[in-house]
């Protein structure tokens, strides 16, 4: 009887261990689900700010040399034909007036009035973020009237080429910087007394400084 009493605790422990061994094993912990979608970053003003095809942009700007920072002298419309091609008709208007006192104490006024129209195209070459680099081509007519001691009237026809940068800075707004050079030009100048001079220039010319045009546009 004493032997059975001593063995009973051992038998109880063995039965408990057997009961645990026959139970279902613990299920492995499932990994936490992870999302494969990348985190959204801040907008850089890229394609979301560019105008769609058939959009119309209206803008104004400054043409140099000869322009005044405080006086815009150019206005244009940009018609988006496709993702890589923009048609741009432009109107140029520039007026300068100066008064000079000569040695005799007489005030003489000189004025220069230039009017012109241009039609250009912008072909997208490459993009980096919100900035586009474009190849430019265009043709234009202008007339310049100078009222001075000797009055002159000049007509100009030109075909131009160049490069341009456009920055789509906020929603439908863009700022552009264009550098233009003549490919072909024809100038005719008439002076008082009937004297007339003509000049023709042809070739892929890079003049220094080039014609610079800074524009702001709002697209609809």
């Amino acid at each position: 009887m004493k032997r059975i009493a001593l063995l009973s605790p051992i038998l109880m422990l063995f039965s408990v261990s057997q009961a645990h061994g026959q139970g279902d094993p613990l299920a492995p912990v499932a990994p936490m689900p992870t999302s494969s979608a990348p985190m959204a970053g801040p907008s850089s003003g890229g394609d979301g700010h560019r105008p769609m095809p058939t959009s119309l942009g209206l803008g104004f700007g400054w043409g140099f040399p000869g322009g005044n920072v405080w006086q815009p002298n150019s206005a244009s419309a940009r018609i988006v034909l496709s993702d890589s091609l923009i048609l741009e008709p432009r109107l140029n208007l520039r007026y300068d007036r100066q008064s000079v006192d000569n040695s005799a104490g007489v005030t003489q006024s000189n004025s220069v009035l230039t009017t012109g129209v241009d039609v250009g195209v912008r072909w997208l070459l490459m993009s980096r973020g919100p900035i586009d680099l474009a190849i430019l081509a265009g043709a234009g007519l202008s007339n310049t009237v100078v009222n001075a001691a000797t009055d002159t009237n000049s007509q100009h026809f030109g075909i131009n080429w160049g490069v341009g940068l456009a920055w789509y800075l906020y929603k439908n707004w863009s700022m552009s910087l264009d550098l233009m050079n003549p490919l072909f030009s024809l100038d005719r100048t008439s002076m008082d007394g009937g004297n007339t001079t003509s000049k023709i220039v042809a070739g892929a010319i890079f003049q220094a400084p080039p014609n610079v045009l800074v524009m702001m546009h709002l697209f609809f």
Side-chain angles (χ1 to χ4, degrees):
M1 293 297 293
K2 293 182 179 180
R3 183 177 297 177
I4 295 174
L6 291 173
L7 291 176
S8 59
I10 298 174
L11 293 174
M12 292 177 63
L13 291 174
F14 181 77
S15 63
V16 171
S17 63
Q18 286 292 102
H20 280 291
Q22 294 174 359
D24 294 335
L26 293 176
V29 179
M32 295 293 291
T34 58
S35 175
S36 61
M39 295 181 64
S43 173
S44 62
D47 293 337
H49 291 174
R50 285 179 172 81
M52 301 293 292
T54 70
S55 298
L56 173 65
L58 301 178
F60 65 94
W62 301 262
F64 302 97
N68 187 333
V69 175
W70 308 110
Q71 182 181 349
N73 53 28
S74 183
S76 75
R78 290 185 178 175
I79 305 168
V80 183
L81 302 179
S82 68
D83 291 336
S84 59
L85 187 63
I86 295 177
L87 178 67
E88 183 175 9
R90 184 168 58 247
L91 173 65
N92 303 310
L93 178 62
R94 182 180 303 166
Y95 179 76
D96 295 315
R97 182 181 177 87
Q98 294 180 343
S99 297
V100 180
D101 294 334
N102 58 24
S103 58
V106 178
T107 301
Q108 182 179 354
S109 296
N110 302 327
S111 64
V112 180
L113 174 63
T114 300
T115 57
V117 291
D118 298 286
V119 177
V121 292
R122 306 176 69 91
W123 180 69
L124 178 63
L125 184 62
M126 61 182 299
S127 297
R128 179 64 62 91
I131 299 177
D132 288 351
L133 174 64
I135 298 295
L136 311 178
L141 288 167
S142 66
N143 183 78
T144 301
V145 177
V146 178
N147 293 319
T150 301
D151 295 341
T152 62
N153 192 333
S154 302
Q155 293 82 37
H156 171 81
F157 169 75
I159 299 175
N160 303 314
W161 68 278
V163 294
L165 291 174
W167 176 29
Y168 294 93
L169 64 165
Y170 180 73
K171 291 186 178 179
N172 295 329
W173 284 96
S174 77
M175 175 183 291
S176 60
L177 171 65
D178 299 341
L179 305 179
M180 301 293 294
N181 286 279
L183 184 64
F184 173 84
S185 64
L186 171 61
D187 294 279
R188 183 176 182 274
T189 302
S190 302
M191 295 177 288
D192 286 344
N195 296 327
T196 301
T197 60
S198 299
K199 180 182 179 181
I200 298 177
V201 178
I205 302 168
F206 186 83
Q207 65 183 17
N211 295 321
V212 178
L213 187 63
V214 180
M215 300 288 290
M216 289 285 297
H217 282 85
L218 175 62
F219 288 88
F220 300 92

